[in-house]
Amino acid sequence: MFPPVADLSGLRILISNDDGINAPGIKVLERIARTLSDDVWVVAPEHEQSAAGHSLTIRRPLRVREVSPRHYAVDGTPTDAVLLGINHIIKDKRPDLMLSGINRGANLGEDITYSGTVAAAMEATILGVPAIALSQFITPPAPVKWDTAEHWTAGLVRQLLTQGWPRNVLMNINFPDVAAAEVSGIEVTAQGKRKIGDSILERNDPRGDPYVWIGAQRSEDRGTPGTDIEAVCRGAVSVTPLCFDLTDRPTIQALSAIFP
């Protein structure tokens, strides 16, 4: 277990994301983190890396740019940024907590397998640092309700750290697309069903050559109680503990009968 933490003021906090170091959401998250501790570091991708998943750059060198004191940009993936942050940039004193986000758009259901936001938290967890991924649900073209995430995040982080959780688990938090005062509550949820990429657009470029574009349309199940999608669409904050041990143990038992 990651041990419970009652006093956050002395923690070293590492922040990253997949929207890039200049994204509005990471600035909101840094502002929140500084209400918890003075020792806050930002190491994030130089450019947007949405849907990068848990990819690691191993076929080319990575550039690290110091943007300002305690702010670094990495020309790679969210996983690269967290790995370099923990094992290189602040290796003198490892972070006690890693926060990823705040993502512009929810990370629900199967989104989590593509999500660079979740992947950043996953990398920190693998490296032994408790991590929380945070995302704000959006309904374009309405403005992003950053105030909702900002209002609820600090208290949620405090509550989760007071409890502690297993070392192979990260916390995935999604905020609903409603005003902060209209949030119906905080609910612990399971991963729902939500698949991106059902809409494939085919067009021709200016030279007449065909191309395809994976669309943003999602097929999703909003009606199953207890899931992250149902809770967020109903106006609740969703907290989903994710375990990256992908082993299906019932199938192990079934296969053991075939391969004793």
Side-chain angles (χ1 to χ4, degrees):
M1 292 282 292
F2 290 120
V5 179
D7 182 9
L8 278 60
S9 61
L11 297 187
R12 170 165 284 192
I13 301 175
L14 174 64
I15 293 175
S16 194
N17 71 351
D18 72 354
D19 287 335
I21 195 162
N22 293 316
I26 203 169
K27 299 180 187 303
V28 174
L29 185 54
E30 182 182 1
R31 188 161 62 240
I32 296 165
R34 293 194 180 282
T35 69
L36 304 173
S37 172
D38 293 329
D39 193 3
V40 177
W41 295 72
V42 177
V43 183
E46 183 81 65
H47 305 291
E48 182 179 349
Q49 295 286 321
S50 295
H54 195 208
S55 56
L56 185 68
T57 302
I58 59 173
R59 293 293 184 181
R60 67 171 179 84
L62 291 167
R63 309 283 182 183
V64 179
R65 179 173 67 90
E66 184 175 4
V67 179
S68 60
R70 299 189 182 186
H71 293 75
Y72 293 83
V74 176
D75 70 334
T77 68
T79 300
D80 295 330
V82 173
L83 178 64
L84 291 178
I86 294 174
N87 284 347
H88 178 63
I89 296 171
I90 54 174
K91 63 181 179 181
D92 63 310
K93 182 179 182 297
R94 290 166 60 85
D96 304 291
L97 173 66
M98 189 270 159
L99 301 176
S100 180
I102 296 170
N103 192 65
R104 183 182 180 276
N107 281 297
L108 303 164
E110 283 84 351
D111 282 355
I112 64 172
T113 64
Y114 303 106
S115 169
T117 305
V118 173
M122 182 181 295
E123 184 65 16
T125 305
I126 291 172
L127 294 174
V129 177
I132 303 173
L134 304 114
S135 303
Q136 175 63 55
F137 192 95
I138 61 174
T139 308
V144 182
K145 294 180 176 63
W146 297 118
D147 289 348
T148 300
E150 185 160 8
H151 176 83
W152 288 89
T153 294
L156 266 170
V157 171
R158 290 184 186 278
Q159 287 177 290
L160 288 170
L161 287 176
T162 299
Q163 175 67 32
W165 59 84
R167 288 185 172 271
N168 66 338
V169 169
L170 66 92
M171 295 295 169
N172 186 38
I173 296 176
N174 284 272
F175 300 98
D177 186 30
V178 298
E182 297 174 4
V183 170
S184 62
I186 301 168
E187 300 182 14
V188 179
T189 61
Q191 178 186 337
K193 294 286 187 181
R194 188 178 198 236
K195 178 68 176 72
I196 192 172
D198 289 348
S199 175
I200 305 296
L201 306 178
E202 185 171 1
R203 299 285 188 271
N204 291 322
D205 67 20
R207 295 181 179 274
D209 296 322
Y211 67 88
V212 294
W213 193 296
I214 297 176
Q217 179 180 348
R218 290 172 166 87
S219 59
E220 60 187 14
D221 177 6
R222 297 190 173 195
T224 304
T227 63
D228 49 7
I229 299 169
E230 190 273 340
V232 168
C233 290
R234 190 167 30 80
V237 176
S238 166
V239 180
T240 308
L242 300 177
C243 175
F244 50 82
D245 179 355
L246 302 181
T247 308
D248 184 69
R249 304 197 184 280
T251 303
I252 285 182
Q253 295 178 0
L255 292 178
S256 295
I258 304 173
F259 307 105

